Amino acid sequence: MNMMYIARFARQDLLRAVGAFTTMITRWDEMCGRKLFRIIKLISGATEWRHIGCIGDTRDNLQLGLFSDAGFARDRADMGSTSGVFLALYGYHSFFPLAGQSKKQTAVSHNTVEAEIVAADPALRTSGLPALQLWKRLLDRPLRLGLYQDNQAIARIMATGRAPTLRHIKRTHSVSVAWIHERVQSPGINLNDWVSDVMAADIFTE
């Protein structure tokens, strides 16, 4: 629990590892003990690391950026995928992390495209859209949410709303492609293609 508190408020790079530990509490084995020892050594050897943000722009130059990513079948025990979400306030001279999330998906995905679209749904619904309304009031001006994706197939599905091979995900994952398409087409959201090497949400899925 102490590590979970640290991961949530100070070291979001630990969220994926700590989240994986929580799923093993009732079936702890020797390998889990070794992994726990390794992460404790990492924490004790990196006490100087800090969670920081900087704001060097006026309020008129600040924007919201939402990054979503998925690790397909990262859990080898049950082939479950992991969703990663990162939300930040940014500008020409600003970058301030607002939220990070690493969560195991509730159903097994069949491919990377399915895992990525399942990760994008909670990113928009629980992080992006609430933050957009909040920061519109705080900055007292119209604001757009930049949604960043590193998978071109996912970006095409979001833009067109067509995914014939993913008709089943509404039942298996409770995710609606049509809803995501409607949100992406709304005036307050910009969909952007991003480079995988600098995908900010990747650290929450590996």
Side-chain angles (χ1 to χ4, degrees):
M1 294 302 104
N2 288 336
M3 283 196 300
M4 185 177 290
Y5 181 83
I6 292 171
R8 289 181 62 199
F9 291 100
R11 290 284 302 276
Q12 292 187 349
D13 57 305
L14 301 175
L15 279 174
R16 172 69 179 95
V18 173
F21 281 134
T22 61
T23 65
M24 298 297 294
I25 289 178
T26 59
R27 45 198 173 115
W28 198 266
D29 56 17
E30 183 180 353
M31 182 57 69
C32 293
R34 293 180 182 179
K35 290 179 179 179
L36 179 61
F37 180 66
R38 184 176 179 181
I39 195 172
I40 289 175
K41 286 179 64 178
L42 171 65
I43 294 172
S44 62
T47 54
E48 72 281 1
W49 290 11
R50 295 290 184 271
H51 188 99
I52 62 173
C54 61
I55 298 292
D57 296 283
T58 62
R59 63 198 302 173
D60 293 333
N61 292 323
L62 294 175
Q63 296 293 334
L64 278 174
L66 179 66
F67 302 81
S68 73
D69 197 18
F72 174 59
R74 296 295 184 187
D75 192 336
R76 295 301 178 186
D78 57 7
M79 302 305 290
S81 302
T82 304
S83 299
V85 180
F86 182 70
L87 179 68
L89 192 67
Y90 70 93
Y92 294 110
H93 307 286
S94 307
F95 192 83
F96 199 95
L98 298 176
Q101 185 182 63
S102 178
K103 186 176 181 181
K104 188 174 179 180
Q105 295 181 3
T106 55
V108 175
S109 296
H110 293 84
N111 50 54
T112 302
V113 173
E114 183 176 340
E116 293 270 5
I117 202 75
V118 171
D121 177 80
L124 275 170
R125 185 166 39 85
T126 65
S127 293
L129 295 179
L132 184 61
Q133 297 302 315
L134 173 64
W135 284 94
K136 277 182 179 179
R137 280 189 169 265
L138 292 177
L139 298 178
D140 194 24
R141 66 177 176 85
L143 192 66
R144 297 184 71 87
L145 174 69
L147 175 60
Y148 295 93
Q149 277 289 331
D150 63 351
N151 189 307
Q152 291 183 344
I154 296 300
R156 192 179 305 111
I157 289 172
M158 289 181 176
T160 63
R162 298 175 183 174
T165 60
L166 297 180
R167 292 193 185 99
H168 61 281
I169 68 170
K170 189 172 181 64
R171 179 175 292 274
T172 57
H173 292 279
S174 298
V175 170
S176 172
V177 174
W179 181 86
I180 296 175
H181 170 65
E182 288 177 359
R183 300 289 76 74
V184 169
Q185 295 299 312
S186 63
I189 298 178
N190 286 335
L191 179 61
N192 301 285
D193 191 14
W194 205 237
V195 182
S196 297
D197 292 342
V198 289
M199 167 52 71
D202 186 61
I203 195 172
F204 302 115
T205 65
E206 299 294 333

